[in-house]
Amino acid sequence: MNGDEQLLRGRVYGHDHDDPDPGPRSGKTYAHLVGGPLDGLLLDVTGWTPDEIGTGAALPTELGQFPGGRALYDPAPGEPRALGPGVTCRFHYRGDSP
């Protein structure tokens, strides 16, 4: 695991790198990002509908194939999803977009 990967593990996507508490918050719902440039981060999906979660996410990042582009993550078909707060599902990397 390189330094960038260690920096990202257990952090919530979108929290500042110098945030003193970059981890998950109580009462929030998260998707765990698997693979790609944002591997190991948690994405806050609090308030997302099941359809929105089923669509996945295109997340702006400087770490992908296209700096300033987006990393694309989707849930795996048939993968279980828990209800309520905490880490409820996983989004798997499927590529980058400019």
Side-chain angles (χ1 to χ4, degrees):
M1 179 181 316
N2 70 30
D4 286 341
E5 290 170 334
Q6 288 177 337
L7 179 68
L8 296 178
R9 294 236 175 259
R11 300 175 68 85
V12 175
Y13 171 82
H15 284 195
D16 290 337
H17 70 279
D18 59 354
D19 185 333
D21 185 14
R25 307 277 197 261
S26 178
K28 296 283 190 170
T29 303
Y30 298 97
H32 179 250
L33 302 178
V34 179
L38 303 176
D39 184 50
L41 284 175
L42 300 174
L43 176 65
D44 186 347
V45 294
T46 305
W48 289 30
T49 67
D51 286 341
E52 290 170 324
I53 289 173
T55 301
L59 304 171
T61 182
E62 295 296 323
L63 301 174
Q65 179 182 358
F66 306 102
R70 295 178 182 271
L72 308 174
Y73 286 85
D74 290 326
E79 189 168 271
R81 297 181 193 148
L83 299 176
V87 178
T88 62
C89 63
R90 298 188 309 170
F91 282 1
H92 298 269
Y93 175 71
R94 68 174 171 97
D96 290 319
S97 175

